[in-house]
Structures are given as structure tokens and as C-alpha cells.
Amino acid sequence: MVNEIIRLKGLTKLYDKDTRPINNLNVSMMKGAWTSIMGPSGSGKTTLLNLIGCLDSPSEGTIHINGTEITKLNRNQLTKFRRENIGLIFQQYHLVPYLTALENVMMAQYYHSVVDESEAVDALKRVGLGHRLTHVPAHLSGGEQQRVCIARALINEPSILLADEPTGNLDQKNGDIVLNLIKELRKDGHTIILVTHNPTIGRLGDRLIKLIDGKISEDSNC
Ligand SMILES: Nc1ncnc2c1ncn2[C@@H]1O[C@H](COP(=O)(O)OP(=O)(O)OP(=O)(O)O)[C@@H](O)[C@H]1O
Ligand SMILES: [Mg+2]
């Protein structure tokens, strides 16, 4: 398919014979689309994002991203592929506590082997944090920390953005700021996969997939 960016075929993850958090998924996602994933706790949402995000490998099946079968890559190739193609935003921000906002973003550049301070400053300005460059995470609010994560996720211009409950720890106001940023990224052509427990947020995208026990229970356009 011309505009397909992600294809999952027979995707299965099993931890032991009784735990099969992802169970034979067959899904294809279009370039530039926002897909939301919902489902009860333990239904496999994070496991699925980790598989697409090259943080984990499946037990069975294949994953194609941007035409590359990532399930064939070795560990080093997978890490390189992730840095070039995927931005990750987590519910827990995973910022380095002793580095400033600017340094946290620059560290992502460092791993991509191009360090450009003015680009990192621009990324933080884009998420409204131009006045917080030298603050360490402990001196930032939860919403600000999540925005640093978004700046960090975007610094390498990934085509795909994976967000696991990105507003889960935020109040309404900060949640709205983060969602508006994600809406803008969607407009700019990024492909977005967002996990949420909030049905209103689940309907903000183009498509909603519901998981139950690692299988798709519903797949609808919004
Ligand atoms: N490393 C692991 N080893 C064994 N079982 C695991 C492991 N990671 C996850 N699981 C199990 O896989 C299932 C799916 O977990 P997952 O984290 O994907 O759920 P989730 O849908 O993201 O839930 P939540 O909404 O609570 O975040 C759960 O039953 C979980 O206990
Ligand atoms: Mg989860």
C-alpha cells in the first residue's frame, strides 16, 4: 500500500504459555494518521507500543515500518532505526534528573550523533518552554516535564510518534497543552499512535483501536 507506514502481521508476544499480551495482531496504519489505542489495564497496549517502538521484540510475526522489516534487524540496527524513525513519549517522563531541560533534549541529539544547541533551544521554544531551559526536572511542573519529553522525542524529526498515556499524570490544563501539541504534530504530518484510558482523548484522532486480551475488539474511524 502506497501510504502505509506500519504493518503488523501475525504479531504475537508471549512471556510464558499463559501470558500472551499481544495475540496474533494484523494491522496496517497509514502515514500521517493518528491512531488511538484503548483497552482495559493489562490488555497489551504498552506491550504493543514497545514492539512498534523497537524497545521489545515479538515472539512471532513481523513488523514493517517505513518499508523496513524491523523484526529482521539486530540489536544495534534496531537502536539506530528507532533513533531515526521513532519518538517516544511516556506517562512517566524518564528525564535525567540532574540535567537541565536543554541538556535532556541535547542528550537525545547526542545519541543521534549531531549536537546542535540552537536546534534544541528551538525545540523547547516550540513546546512553550523557552523560559525554562536551565531548569532541572525537579524544578519543572509535571506538564512542563512532559513538554520537555515531547521536545526530546521530536529532536531527531521522527516520522512516528508513540505516546503511552501522555496526559495520564497531568491536570486538565496541562493535558490540553500536551494534546494541542500532539494535534499540531499530526497536522505537520507525523504519524501518531497514542494510548489512553480517556474515551474523549481516544476520539481525537483518526482511528480508534480497542484491545482486549491482546486482540483487537474494535477498530473504527473517528
Ligand atoms: N516483562 C513482562 N513479563 C511478564 N509479563 C509481562 C511483562 N510485561 C507485561 N506483562 C504482562 O502483559 C500484559 C500486558 O501488559 P501491558 O503493560 O501491555 O498492559 P497495558 O494494556 O499497557 O495496561 P495498563 O493500561 O495498565 O498500562 C499484562 O498482563 C502484564 O502483566
Ligand atoms: Mg500500559
Side-chain angles (χ1 to χ4, degrees):
M1 252 178 276
V2 183
N3 289 323
E4 183 186 69
I5 189 165
I6 296 172
R7 183 169 3 122
L8 315 177
K9 219 170 147 189
L11 192 70
T12 297
K13 179 76 188 178
L14 36 99
Y15 288 112
D16 54 59
K17 66 178 180 18
D18 299 320
T19 317
R20 200 176 272 260
I22 293 296
N23 196 351
N24 193 21
L25 283 195
N26 294 291
V27 180
S28 117
M29 293 179 191
M30 294 296 144
K31 203 168 263 182
W34 170 340
T35 303
S36 298
I37 313 264
M38 294 190 70
S41 184
S43 57
K45 304 178 298 297
T46 296
T47 307
L48 179 60
L49 279 202
N50 287 346
L51 290 170
I52 297 172
C54 309
L55 295 171
D56 196 1
S57 44
S59 310
E60 289 163 29
T62 57
I63 303 173
H64 283 82
I65 298 180
N66 274 328
T68 300
E69 186 178 341
I70 63 161
T71 26
K72 276 196 174 146
L73 303 180
N74 66 32
R75 219 187 167 83
N76 287 342
Q77 292 169 321
L78 209 53
T79 304
K80 183 168 185 285
F81 186 88
R82 182 177 66 238
R83 281 180 199 144
E84 289 171 357
N85 293 275
I86 291 167
L88 294 156
I89 305 171
F90 307 93
Q91 179 179 1
Q92 315 294 347
Y93 316 116
H94 298 308
L95 294 169
V96 182
Y98 51 85
L99 297 181
T100 65
L102 183 60
E103 288 163 347
N104 264 285
V105 174
M106 288 180 72
M107 203 171 75
Q109 288 179 320
Y110 172 78
Y111 283 120
H112 200 241
S113 68
V114 195
V115 178
D116 180 336
E117 184 168 338
S118 68
E119 219 172 62
V121 171
D122 285 347
L124 284 162
K125 280 185 181 160
R126 183 170 179 196
V127 298
L129 290 179
H131 59 308
R132 291 283 187 269
L133 301 177
T134 57
H135 285 226
V136 292
H139 296 170
L140 294 168
S141 73
E144 288 170 340
Q145 290 183 58
Q146 190 58 297
R147 282 187 274 158
V148 175
C149 295
I150 295 177
R152 180 183 59 181
L154 291 176
I155 196 71
N156 301 324
E157 297 283 331
S159 52
I160 300 171
L161 199 66
L162 305 178
D164 196 351
E165 301 188 48
T167 60
N169 282 340
L170 303 179
D171 63 13
Q172 178 87 36
K173 182 168 163 251
N174 281 292
D176 286 347
I177 292 172
V178 165
L179 288 170
N180 283 331
L181 278 168
I182 294 175
K183 282 182 197 164
E184 270 175 38
L185 297 170
R186 154 82 177 73
K187 259 193 220 143
D188 290 349
H190 290 272
T191 303
I192 290 161
I193 307 180
L194 179 143
V195 167
T196 181
H197 281 287
N198 179 324
T200 311
I201 298 173
R203 292 261 159 220
L204 290 178
D206 304 294
R207 179 182 181 186
L208 174 60
I209 292 178
K210 290 192 181 169
L211 290 182
I212 292 183
D213 292 337
K215 285 179 182 282
I216 294 178
S217 67
E218 193 183 317
D219 186 350
S220 53
N221 293 322
C222 299

